Amino acid sequence: MQPDEVRIHDTREWIARSREDLDMAAFALTAKPPFLRDCLFHCQQALEKVCKAFLTFHDESFTKTHNLIDLGLQCARADGRLRELAREAAPMNVYAVQFRYPGEPYQPEVDEARSALASARKLVAEVLACLPSEVQSCGPGTARDDEPTTT
């Protein structure tokens, strides 16, 4: 069954936003000092949005959630190639809210942010690899592969 044009458009919109979040995460690391909390938040957001892109393409409904475990499991049910997605994305689940409000439990370190960005890039690429290439051409949000340099 061919996906309809609306679903393709919506999938591309989710992918564009996921790529923008990856770009924002990388950009946050270039600031002096780096915006570590923002980097972590955007890593989580990139994964959340690429999962929602995948589910949209497969015409699978999802709730308004930030839970990467639930989204990853739902993606895996649609495509067995993503069976490890929920487990691998789980550590980033907390970044959706952990640093967004005053009273965060700790100050993240640069190494944690760099590691999260590398993980997010890897997992986003794995999900995108399960989608047809023509759906992935979505314009803005280049998700550059070069890591920013930080001190």
Side-chain angles (χ1 to χ4, degrees):
M1 178 176 159
Q2 287 285 67
D4 62 46
E5 288 303 312
V6 171
R7 246 188 313 141
I8 290 171
H9 175 268
D10 291 348
T11 299
R12 287 177 174 161
E13 288 289 316
W14 280 114
I15 291 170
R17 283 170 174 72
S18 175
R19 289 177 170 158
E20 288 169 4
D21 277 309
L22 282 179
D23 284 348
M24 287 302 299
F27 184 69
L29 290 179
T30 66
K32 303 289 185 219
F35 299 125
L36 302 174
R37 294 175 298 205
D38 290 331
C39 174
L40 295 172
F41 172 74
H42 285 291
C43 287
Q44 185 281 336
Q45 287 289 290
L47 285 174
E48 178 182 327
K49 290 170 185 166
V50 80
C51 286
K52 291 176 178 179
F54 181 85
L55 294 171
T56 297
F57 180 78
H58 288 284
D59 203 21
E60 297 284 333
S61 61
F62 50 86
T63 62
K64 287 188 175 187
T65 183
H66 299 297
N67 191 317
L68 296 176
I69 297 168
D70 291 346
L71 290 167
L73 290 171
Q74 194 174 354
C75 289
R77 283 192 295 274
D79 189 327
R81 293 175 290 177
L82 297 173
R83 68 183 176 279
E84 294 297 315
L85 180 61
R87 183 186 60 76
E88 291 181 24
M92 281 195 235
N93 224 18
V94 297
Y95 299 148
V97 295
Q98 187 169 47
F99 301 114
R100 301 309 295 168
Y101 305 102
E104 63 261 4
Y106 68 95
Q107 178 64 34
E109 298 290 330
V110 172
D111 288 344
E112 179 179 4
R114 285 183 180 154
S115 177
L117 181 55
S119 260
R121 284 178 169 155
K122 173 188 169 285
L123 293 172
V124 165
E126 286 177 11
V127 174
L128 290 175
C130 294
L131 290 170
S133 59
E134 62 270 11
V135 175
Q136 297 179 39
S137 58
C138 55
T142 58
R144 294 173 296 277
D145 289 330
D146 58 318
E147 287 222 30
T149 55
T150 60
T151 53

